[in-house]
Amino acid sequence: MIELKNLTKKFDDFTAVDHLSLRIETGEFFGLLGPNGAGKTTTLSMMSTVLLPTEGEILIDGQKLDRKASAQKRKLSVITQEYSMRQDMNMDEVMEYQGRLYYLPRKVIKQKTDELLAFAGLIEYRHRTVRHLSGGMKRKLMICRALMIEPEILLLDEPTAGMDALSRRQMWNLLRRVNGDRMTIVLTTHYIEEAQALCGRVALINQGKLQKLDSPDNLIHELGAFAVDETSQDNLVSRYFHNRDDAIAYLSKAGSDAALRATTLEDVFVDVAGRKL
């Protein structure tokens, strides 16, 4: 279990994360959702001890996490937005390097490399260097590398950024399989469909503050599962309804530019924060 207690990070006069308190259960697939600059990456950086909190604390299984807590840090693996791999290494070399960093025996490194590359569907590309991999392959390789040390918690910062639609869906399937083994996953994303497809609960963050915390379905149904968009020359206005018949009745009286659709998490965020994700 991960607990964030009044977690705060300030950079001079700017507050990136503002007294954020959350509890993430063991085995949960948890999403941090918000627009660029909301504080998602800063929060993840504190959870990985890259940054230290200005105030507050992080607990893992009741024990405080800091840079000296080696036992707690070994439970974590982090995948950043940037491709942090040498371009001249092939997949086997990337995995071997990771294993050696953690003093794993050569036999174990070889076994885990075979298992993980096969698990991610990368085994036939193992001798291809990083510079010749597609963006999706690089992301999958970064997950394999993170899983080499058998972490209990996987921190993912925008893991599908820049991927095409097919690669993104493949990544979702891979992450579901990882989470299916009871690994706790914390995901930051601004892709609505990603959070809805993967996360059991999401925290909506804006300007470093927690706005809403619940399952995607509960947040959507709280606002209203059906939306009617009315487009005018100046803007678009959305109205939300809990009952489909009520939405259709409103639509029948609206103008020709009105349309009925399903409510999304982005609608929830716009309603709460007043801006799009």
Side-chain angles (χ1 to χ4, degrees):
M1 182 176 65
I2 307 168
E3 294 178 273
L4 312 185
K5 293 188 174 182
N6 294 313
L7 198 64
T8 302
K9 184 61 181 179
K10 295 181 179 181
F11 299 96
D12 297 325
D13 295 331
F14 174 67
T15 302
V17 178
D18 193 354
H19 295 90
L20 181 63
S21 293
L22 297 170
R23 189 170 77 174
I24 302 168
E25 301 296 337
T26 300
E28 187 172 12
F29 205 133
F30 190 91
L32 293 175
L33 192 64
N36 291 333
K40 307 184 302 295
T41 297
T42 302
T43 300
L44 223 64
S45 295
M46 288 188 283
M47 293 174 69
S48 65
T49 72
V50 171
L51 294 176
L52 296 178
T54 306
E55 300 176 35
E57 61 182 2
I58 301 170
L59 304 177
I60 297 181
D61 297 331
Q63 302 296 314
K64 185 175 179 179
L65 175 67
D66 57 37
R67 288 177 177 169
K68 296 180 180 179
S70 57
Q72 300 302 96
K73 287 174 65 177
R74 284 188 67 87
K75 296 180 179 181
L76 298 164
S77 269
V78 186
I79 298 176
T80 62
Q81 295 181 36
E82 296 78 22
Y83 297 127
S84 54
M85 299 177 292
R86 280 185 49 171
Q87 296 295 302
D88 59 340
M89 283 185 171
N90 63 33
M91 293 190 185
D92 281 339
E93 290 168 339
V94 168
M95 297 294 285
E96 181 178 356
Y97 184 72
Q98 178 76 352
R100 288 192 177 192
L101 284 176
Y102 287 87
Y103 304 103
L104 298 180
R106 283 181 177 270
K107 185 177 180 180
V108 173
I109 293 174
K110 177 65 168 62
Q111 177 184 347
K112 287 184 176 295
T113 297
D114 292 345
E115 291 175 354
L116 290 168
L117 293 183
F119 175 75
L122 295 174
I123 199 76
E124 62 183 293
Y125 308 103
R126 65 190 310 163
H127 300 302
R128 188 178 295 184
T129 57
V130 171
R131 67 166 53 92
H132 293 123
L133 299 176
S134 68
M137 288 180 181
K138 289 177 183 177
R139 294 289 183 189
K140 289 180 182 179
L141 180 57
M142 289 173 69
I143 288 181
C144 291
R145 183 182 64 175
L147 297 179
M148 171 68 79
I149 62 169
E150 298 184 354
E152 296 178 20
I153 301 165
L154 190 60
L155 305 179
L156 303 171
D157 190 13
E158 304 283 1
T160 62
M163 281 188 178
D164 59 59
L166 177 59
S167 297
R168 185 175 295 130
R169 297 280 175 167
Q170 291 174 340
M171 179 64 79
W172 293 358
N173 290 335
L174 178 59
L175 293 176
R176 286 191 187 102
R177 291 167 65 191
V178 171
N179 181 242
D181 292 331
R182 294 289 295 163
M183 182 180 295
T184 304
I185 298 179
V186 182
L187 168 80
T188 75
T189 184
H190 59 264
Y191 290 126
I192 295 300
E193 70 276 17
E194 190 159 275
Q196 285 189 227
L198 296 175
C199 300
R201 288 192 304 152
V202 296
L204 301 183
I205 299 174
N206 189 33
Q207 297 179 345
K209 295 182 179 180
L210 179 65
Q211 303 287 332
K212 288 277 188 176
L213 173 62
D214 210 330
S215 70
D217 285 346
N218 285 348
L219 290 170
I220 288 170
H221 283 93
E222 180 183 347
L223 180 61
F226 305 97
V228 175
D229 294 333
E230 293 183 272
T231 305
S232 67
Q233 189 174 6
D234 298 325
N235 62 1
L236 182 146
V237 176
S238 299
R239 302 181 188 279
Y240 304 101
F241 302 87
H242 294 283
N243 184 282
R244 182 182 179 87
D245 290 339
D246 291 341
I248 292 174
Y250 182 88
L251 180 66
S252 66
K253 300 175 183 178
S256 58
D257 290 332
L260 174 66
R261 62 175 175 83
T263 304
T264 69
L265 271 177
E266 184 165 26
D267 294 309
V268 175
F269 195 88
V270 171
D271 183 70
V272 171
R275 61 171 172 154
K276 288 182 176 293
L277 292 165

